[in-house]
Amino acid sequence: MATLGNLVAGVAHEINNPIAFLKGSLNNAQDYIQEIFTYINCLHKYHPQLAPEVTNIAQEIDLEYITEDLQKLLNSMNLASERIEEISASLRTFSRADTLEKVPCNLHEGIDSTLLILKYRLKANDKRPAIEIIKNYSNLPKINCFLGQLNQVFTNIIANAIDAIDTSISGQIFADIPAKSLEINIYTKFLTQEKMIIICINDNAGGIPEEIKNHIFDHLFTTKEVGKGTGLGLAIARQIVEETHNGKLTCNSTLGQGTEFMIEIPASS
Ligand SMILES: Nc1ncnc2c1ncn2[C@@H]1O[C@H](COP(=O)(O)OP(=O)(O)OP(=O)(O)O)[C@@H](O)[C@H]1O
Ligand SMILES: [Mg+2]
Protein backbone atom coordinates (compact mmCIF):
# COMPACT_ATOMS: atom_id res chain seq x y z
CA MET A 1 0.00 0.00 0.00
CA ALA A 2 2.90 2.34 0.70
CA THR A 3 4.12 1.84 -2.88
CA LEU A 4 0.63 2.50 -4.19
CA GLY A 5 0.49 5.63 -2.04
CA ASN A 6 3.77 6.86 -3.52
CA LEU A 7 2.55 6.08 -6.99
CA VAL A 8 -0.70 7.98 -6.43
CA ALA A 9 1.12 10.96 -4.94
CA GLY A 10 3.56 10.86 -7.89
CA VAL A 11 0.78 10.77 -10.46
CA ALA A 12 -1.05 13.62 -8.70
CA HIS A 13 2.14 15.64 -8.77
CA GLU A 14 2.77 14.93 -12.46
CA ILE A 15 -0.78 15.98 -13.36
CA ASN A 16 -0.27 19.41 -11.81
CA ASN A 17 2.01 20.93 -14.46
CA PRO A 18 -0.04 20.05 -17.54
CA ILE A 19 -3.24 21.08 -15.75
CA ALA A 20 -1.78 24.47 -14.80
CA PHE A 21 -0.73 24.90 -18.43
CA LEU A 22 -4.19 23.89 -19.63
CA LYS A 23 -5.89 26.38 -17.31
CA GLY A 24 -3.58 29.20 -18.36
CA SER A 25 -4.08 28.40 -22.04
CA LEU A 26 -7.83 28.24 -21.64
CA ASN A 27 -7.82 31.69 -20.10
CA ASN A 28 -5.77 33.06 -22.99
CA ALA A 29 -7.97 31.29 -25.52
CA GLN A 30 -11.05 32.84 -23.93
CA ASP A 31 -9.51 36.31 -24.20
CA TYR A 32 -8.43 35.77 -27.82
CA ILE A 33 -11.83 34.46 -28.84
CA GLN A 34 -13.50 37.44 -27.22
CA GLU A 35 -11.22 39.74 -29.21
CA ILE A 36 -11.96 37.92 -32.46
CA PHE A 37 -15.70 38.31 -31.78
CA THR A 38 -15.23 42.02 -31.13
CA TYR A 39 -13.44 42.24 -34.47
CA ILE A 40 -16.18 40.32 -36.32
CA ASN A 41 -18.91 42.49 -34.76
CA CYS A 42 -17.08 45.62 -35.76
CA LEU A 43 -16.62 44.27 -39.29
CA HIS A 44 -20.38 43.61 -39.50
CA LYS A 45 -21.16 47.10 -38.28
CA TYR A 46 -19.18 48.85 -41.02
CA HIS A 47 -19.71 46.23 -43.75
CA PRO A 48 -23.28 45.03 -43.31
CA GLN A 49 -23.39 44.01 -46.98
CA LEU A 50 -21.10 40.98 -47.20
CA ALA A 51 -20.14 39.09 -50.34
CA PRO A 52 -22.45 36.08 -50.96
CA GLU A 53 -19.55 33.66 -50.46
CA VAL A 54 -19.03 35.00 -46.93
CA THR A 55 -22.73 34.79 -46.03
CA ASN A 56 -22.86 31.25 -47.45
CA ILE A 57 -20.03 30.09 -45.25
CA ALA A 58 -21.68 31.70 -42.21
CA GLN A 59 -24.83 29.72 -43.00
CA GLU A 60 -23.01 26.47 -43.70
CA ILE A 61 -21.12 26.48 -40.44
CA ASP A 62 -24.09 27.93 -38.52
CA LEU A 63 -22.03 30.80 -37.23
CA GLU A 64 -24.68 31.99 -34.79
CA TYR A 65 -24.84 28.61 -33.05
CA ILE A 66 -21.07 28.16 -33.00
CA THR A 67 -20.60 31.57 -31.41
CA GLU A 68 -23.01 30.74 -28.65
CA ASP A 69 -21.79 27.19 -28.11
CA LEU A 70 -18.13 28.13 -28.07
CA GLN A 71 -18.63 30.18 -24.90
CA LYS A 72 -20.37 27.26 -23.23
CA LEU A 73 -17.63 24.88 -24.35
CA LEU A 74 -14.94 27.09 -22.89
CA ASN A 75 -16.82 27.38 -19.61
CA SER A 76 -17.18 23.60 -19.41
CA MET A 77 -13.50 23.18 -20.18
CA ASN A 78 -12.67 25.57 -17.38
CA LEU A 79 -14.89 23.67 -14.96
CA ALA A 80 -13.36 20.37 -16.07
CA SER A 81 -9.83 21.60 -15.49
CA GLU A 82 -10.81 22.89 -12.05
CA ARG A 83 -12.25 19.48 -11.32
CA ILE A 84 -8.99 17.77 -12.31
CA GLU A 85 -7.16 20.13 -9.98
CA GLU A 86 -9.52 19.17 -7.16
CA ILE A 87 -9.05 15.47 -7.84
CA SER A 88 -5.30 15.89 -7.91
CA ALA A 89 -5.40 17.70 -4.54
CA SER A 90 -7.58 14.94 -3.17
CA LEU A 91 -5.25 12.24 -4.43
CA ARG A 92 -2.49 13.95 -2.53
CA THR A 93 -4.52 14.10 0.69
CA PHE A 94 -5.62 10.54 0.07
CA SER A 95 -2.08 9.23 -0.17
CA ARG A 96 -0.52 11.62 2.31
CA ALA A 97 -0.38 9.24 5.21
CA ASP A 98 2.46 7.16 3.83
CA THR A 99 4.21 8.28 6.92
CA LEU A 100 6.42 5.93 8.85
CA GLU A 101 4.87 7.07 12.10
CA LYS A 102 1.39 8.05 13.06
CA VAL A 103 0.72 11.75 12.57
CA PRO A 104 -2.14 13.95 13.87
CA CYS A 105 -4.90 13.97 11.26
CA ASN A 106 -8.42 15.16 10.75
CA LEU A 107 -10.45 12.07 9.86
CA HIS A 108 -13.11 14.14 8.07
CA GLU A 109 -10.47 15.17 5.54
CA GLY A 110 -9.79 11.50 4.95
CA ILE A 111 -13.47 10.67 4.46
CA ASP A 112 -13.98 13.65 2.13
CA SER A 113 -11.02 12.81 -0.06
CA THR A 114 -12.23 9.21 -0.23
CA LEU A 115 -15.66 10.41 -1.35
CA LEU A 116 -14.10 12.50 -4.07
CA ILE A 117 -12.13 9.51 -5.31
CA LEU A 118 -15.33 7.44 -5.36
CA LYS A 119 -17.45 10.20 -6.90
CA TYR A 120 -17.45 8.61 -10.32
CA ARG A 121 -19.10 5.53 -8.81
CA LEU A 122 -21.71 7.54 -6.91
CA LYS A 123 -23.04 9.60 -9.79
CA ALA A 124 -26.06 8.63 -11.86
CA ASN A 125 -25.56 6.11 -14.64
CA ASP A 126 -27.79 4.39 -17.19
CA LYS A 127 -29.05 1.92 -14.57
CA ARG A 128 -29.82 4.17 -11.59
CA PRO A 129 -29.97 7.75 -10.30
CA ALA A 130 -27.09 9.14 -8.25
CA ILE A 131 -26.40 7.74 -4.80
CA GLU A 132 -26.84 10.51 -2.21
CA ILE A 133 -24.21 10.89 0.47
CA ILE A 134 -25.66 12.26 3.68
CA LYS A 135 -23.01 13.50 6.06
CA ASN A 136 -23.49 14.25 9.72
CA TYR A 137 -20.15 15.29 11.07
CA SER A 138 -19.54 16.22 14.70
CA ASN A 139 -16.51 18.00 16.03
CA LEU A 140 -13.66 15.53 16.02
CA PRO A 141 -10.28 16.08 17.58
CA LYS A 142 -7.25 15.32 15.43
CA ILE A 143 -5.88 11.90 16.19
CA ASN A 144 -2.55 10.22 15.67
CA CYS A 145 -3.05 7.75 12.88
CA PHE A 146 -1.99 6.47 9.48
CA LEU A 147 -4.54 8.45 7.48
CA GLY A 148 -3.65 6.69 4.23
CA GLN A 149 -4.55 3.36 5.77
CA LEU A 150 -7.75 4.68 7.30
CA ASN A 151 -8.66 6.08 3.89
CA GLN A 152 -8.33 2.55 2.62
CA VAL A 153 -10.82 1.45 5.29
CA PHE A 154 -13.30 4.18 4.26
CA THR A 155 -12.81 3.26 0.59
CA ASN A 156 -13.46 -0.43 1.17
CA ILE A 157 -16.59 0.15 3.24
CA ILE A 158 -18.07 2.79 0.94
CA ALA A 159 -17.23 0.78 -2.19
CA ASN A 160 -19.01 -2.22 -0.63
CA ALA A 161 -22.04 -0.03 0.11
CA ILE A 162 -22.12 1.12 -3.52
CA ASP A 163 -21.82 -2.50 -4.71
CA ALA A 164 -24.66 -3.49 -2.37
CA ILE A 165 -26.88 -0.68 -3.66
CA ASP A 166 -26.14 -1.66 -7.25
CA THR A 167 -27.00 -5.29 -6.47
CA SER A 168 -30.19 -4.34 -4.65
CA ILE A 169 -31.57 -2.45 -7.62
CA SER A 170 -30.49 -4.88 -10.30
CA GLY A 171 -33.51 -6.03 -12.21
CA GLN A 172 -35.41 -2.82 -11.55
CA ILE A 173 -35.91 -0.40 -14.39
CA PHE A 174 -34.48 3.08 -14.00
CA ALA A 175 -37.88 4.82 -14.04
CA ASP A 176 -39.02 2.73 -11.05
CA ILE A 177 -36.17 3.91 -8.83
CA PRO A 178 -37.13 7.24 -7.21
CA ALA A 179 -34.44 9.92 -7.32
CA LYS A 180 -32.73 10.41 -3.94
CA SER A 181 -33.86 6.99 -2.76
CA LEU A 182 -30.36 5.51 -2.80
CA GLU A 183 -28.42 6.67 0.22
CA ILE A 184 -25.20 6.26 2.08
CA ASN A 185 -25.15 7.94 5.49
CA ILE A 186 -21.92 8.85 7.18
CA TYR A 187 -21.93 10.17 10.70
CA THR A 188 -19.19 10.84 13.17
CA LYS A 189 -19.15 11.33 16.91
CA PHE A 190 -16.61 11.94 19.60
CA LEU A 191 -17.29 10.30 22.95
CA THR A 192 -15.54 12.72 25.26
CA GLN A 193 -15.50 10.46 28.30
CA GLU A 194 -14.23 7.37 26.54
CA LYS A 195 -12.05 9.54 24.28
CA MET A 196 -13.30 7.50 21.38
CA ILE A 197 -14.01 8.48 17.81
CA ILE A 198 -16.97 6.78 16.16
CA ILE A 199 -17.53 6.73 12.43
CA CYS A 200 -20.64 5.02 11.10
CA ILE A 201 -21.23 4.33 7.45
CA ASN A 202 -24.55 2.87 6.46
CA ASP A 203 -26.43 2.06 3.29
CA ASN A 204 -30.06 1.32 2.53
CA ALA A 205 -29.29 -1.59 0.24
CA GLY A 206 -30.37 -5.18 0.75
CA GLY A 207 -28.54 -6.02 3.98
CA ILE A 208 -26.54 -9.16 4.66
CA PRO A 209 -28.13 -12.61 4.97
CA GLU A 210 -27.75 -14.25 8.39
CA GLU A 211 -25.73 -17.20 7.11
CA ILE A 212 -22.94 -15.04 5.70
CA LYS A 213 -22.82 -12.33 8.38
CA ASN A 214 -20.19 -14.24 10.32
CA HIS A 215 -17.91 -14.55 7.33
CA ILE A 216 -17.73 -11.07 5.86
CA PHE A 217 -14.49 -10.24 7.67
CA ASP A 218 -12.84 -13.51 6.61
CA HIS A 219 -9.90 -13.38 4.26
CA LEU A 220 -11.00 -14.10 0.68
CA PHE A 221 -14.69 -14.31 1.58
CA THR A 222 -16.72 -12.78 -1.21
CA THR A 223 -20.18 -13.13 -2.68
CA LYS A 224 -19.16 -11.18 -5.76
CA GLU A 225 -18.42 -12.73 -9.10
CA VAL A 226 -14.86 -13.54 -10.13
CA GLY A 227 -13.06 -10.40 -11.22
CA LYS A 228 -15.34 -8.14 -9.18
CA GLY A 229 -14.39 -8.99 -5.63
CA THR A 230 -11.38 -10.61 -4.02
CA GLY A 231 -12.85 -10.83 -0.54
CA LEU A 232 -10.00 -8.88 1.00
CA GLY A 233 -11.62 -5.48 1.56
CA LEU A 234 -13.13 -6.02 5.00
CA ALA A 235 -10.36 -8.31 6.24
CA ILE A 236 -7.83 -5.57 5.50
CA ALA A 237 -10.13 -2.90 6.95
CA ARG A 238 -10.49 -4.80 10.21
CA GLN A 239 -6.75 -5.33 10.46
CA ILE A 240 -6.09 -1.61 9.95
CA VAL A 241 -8.71 -0.51 12.49
CA GLU A 242 -8.12 -3.14 15.14
CA GLU A 243 -4.44 -4.03 14.93
CA THR A 244 -2.88 -0.80 13.69
CA HIS A 245 -5.19 1.63 15.49
CA ASN A 246 -6.39 -0.38 18.53
CA GLY A 247 -9.96 0.20 17.50
CA LYS A 248 -12.96 -1.88 16.57
CA LEU A 249 -14.73 -2.48 13.27
CA THR A 250 -18.18 -3.98 13.55
CA CYS A 251 -21.12 -4.57 11.28
CA ASN A 252 -24.81 -4.39 11.96
CA SER A 253 -27.13 -5.44 9.19
CA THR A 254 -30.81 -6.06 8.74
CA LEU A 255 -31.83 -8.06 5.73
CA GLY A 256 -33.99 -5.99 3.44
CA GLN A 257 -33.17 -2.75 5.23
CA GLY A 258 -29.48 -2.06 5.05
CA THR A 259 -26.09 -2.37 6.61
CA GLU A 260 -24.07 -0.26 9.00
CA PHE A 261 -20.35 -0.44 9.60
CA MET A 262 -19.07 1.18 12.77
CA ILE A 263 -15.45 2.19 13.17
CA GLU A 264 -14.34 2.97 16.72
CA ILE A 265 -10.90 4.45 17.21
CA PRO A 266 -9.46 5.57 20.51
CA ALA A 267 -8.31 9.19 20.21
CA SER A 268 -5.02 8.11 21.72
CA SER A 269 -4.44 5.18 19.39
N1 LIG B 1 -22.69 -2.88 2.69
C1 LIG B 1 -22.83 -4.19 2.40
N2 LIG B 1 -24.05 -4.70 2.08
C2 LIG B 1 -24.20 -6.02 1.79
N3 LIG B 1 -23.19 -6.91 1.79
C3 LIG B 1 -21.95 -6.47 2.10
C4 LIG B 1 -21.71 -5.10 2.43
N4 LIG B 1 -20.40 -4.95 2.70
C5 LIG B 1 -19.84 -6.18 2.55
N5 LIG B 1 -20.76 -7.10 2.19
C6 LIG B 1 -20.54 -8.54 1.97
O1 LIG B 1 -19.29 -8.89 2.52
C7 LIG B 1 -18.49 -9.56 1.55
C8 LIG B 1 -17.03 -9.30 1.85
O2 LIG B 1 -16.69 -7.93 1.62
P1 LIG B 1 -15.20 -7.55 1.27
O3 LIG B 1 -15.13 -6.08 1.07
O4 LIG B 1 -14.29 -8.17 2.27
O5 LIG B 1 -14.92 -8.31 -0.10
P2 LIG B 1 -15.50 -7.97 -1.53
O6 LIG B 1 -16.15 -6.63 -1.56
O7 LIG B 1 -16.35 -9.11 -1.94
O8 LIG B 1 -14.20 -7.95 -2.43
P3 LIG B 1 -13.05 -6.82 -2.40
O9 LIG B 1 -11.81 -7.54 -2.00
O10 LIG B 1 -13.00 -6.32 -3.78
O11 LIG B 1 -13.44 -5.79 -1.40
C9 LIG B 1 -18.98 -9.03 0.22
O12 LIG B 1 -18.70 -9.92 -0.84
C10 LIG B 1 -20.48 -8.89 0.48
O13 LIG B 1 -21.13 -10.14 0.34
MG1 LIG C 1 -15.15 -4.93 -0.78
Side-chain angles (χ1 to χ4, degrees):
M1 273 328 279
T3 322
L4 182 62
N6 283 335
L7 184 71
V8 169
V11 171
H13 184 253
E14 285 310 305
I15 290 176
N16 280 350
N17 283 335
I19 209 56
F21 172 75
L22 199 60
K23 274 189 80 177
S25 302
L26 266 174
N27 265 335
N28 285 345
Q30 239 161 346
D31 289 348
Y32 294 165
I33 288 166
Q34 211 46 59
E35 281 158 8
I36 292 174
F37 283 151
T38 313
Y39 171 75
I40 294 175
N41 288 341
C42 183
L43 204 65
H44 269 293
K45 190 169 153 196
Y46 292 104
H47 301 276
Q49 249 6 54
L50 292 170
E53 202 184 333
V54 179
T55 346
N56 278 347
I57 293 180
Q59 255 166 16
E60 252 167 48
I61 62 169
D62 201 347
L63 187 62
E64 210 173 312
Y65 170 76
I66 289 184
T67 317
E68 216 184 273
D69 203 45
L70 190 57
Q71 300 289 351
K72 289 190 198 150
L73 276 182
L74 285 166
N75 285 340
S76 310
M77 284 156 98
N78 256 328
L79 282 179
S81 59
E82 270 161 28
R83 178 97 180 88
I84 299 176
E85 257 189 337
E86 252 175 55
I87 292 172
S88 162
S90 245
L91 283 174
R92 269 175 291 143
T93 318
F94 189 78
S95 59
R96 194 184 49 192
D98 316 313
T99 43
L100 290 174
E101 283 171 25
K102 290 181 180 171
V103 288
C105 297
N106 175 345
L107 293 188
H108 291 150
E109 265 181 24
I111 301 174
D112 289 342
S113 71
T114 303
L115 286 172
L116 209 91
I117 305 282
L118 286 172
K119 208 165 188 171
Y120 77 100
R121 292 208 53 202
L122 293 164
K123 63 177 196 203
N125 58 34
D126 54 356
K127 297 201 178 67
R128 56 150 173 84
I131 298 174
E132 299 284 315
I133 296 286
I134 299 162
K135 291 194 273 191
N136 268 305
Y137 287 173
S138 313
N139 260 335
L140 292 188
K142 283 191 169 186
I143 60 158
N144 274 327
C145 64
F146 295 111
L147 189 60
Q149 293 191 24
L150 289 178
N151 285 342
Q152 211 189 325
V153 173
F154 307 142
T155 310
N156 287 339
I157 294 174
I158 299 169
N160 281 345
I162 299 171
D163 286 343
I165 289 174
D166 280 338
T167 310
S168 76
I169 52 129
S170 71
Q172 284 188 64
I173 38 175
F174 194 121
D176 289 344
I177 311 168
K180 298 188 185 253
S181 64
L182 312 174
E183 279 180 16
I184 296 177
N185 274 274
I186 303 177
Y187 68 90
T188 62
K189 260 196 316 222
F190 179 56
L191 308 180
T192 26
Q193 258 180 356
E194 294 88 340
K195 297 213 176 342
M196 189 75 89
I197 284 179
I198 314 270
I199 297 165
C200 290
I201 299 171
N202 64 59
D203 63 65
N204 61 353
I208 304 176
E210 217 47 58
E211 63 274 18
I212 70 164
K213 254 187 206 168
N214 285 329
H215 299 289
I216 58 167
F217 292 102
D218 294 352
H219 255 263
L220 302 176
F221 177 84
T222 181
T223 56
K224 293 167 196 171
E225 56 196 79
V226 183
K228 257 200 124 185
T230 57
L232 286 177
L234 288 177
I236 292 173
R238 183 166 250 179
Q239 196 181 350
I240 293 171
V241 173
E242 304 199 345
E243 286 167 32
T244 317
H245 293 89
N246 306 317
K248 254 176 120 179
L249 175 63
T250 48
C251 170
N252 205 329
S253 182
T254 313
L255 199 60
Q257 284 186 24
T259 304
E260 173 166 278
F261 282 88
M262 179 155 85
I263 303 164
E264 293 166 83
I265 300 179
S268 56
S269 79

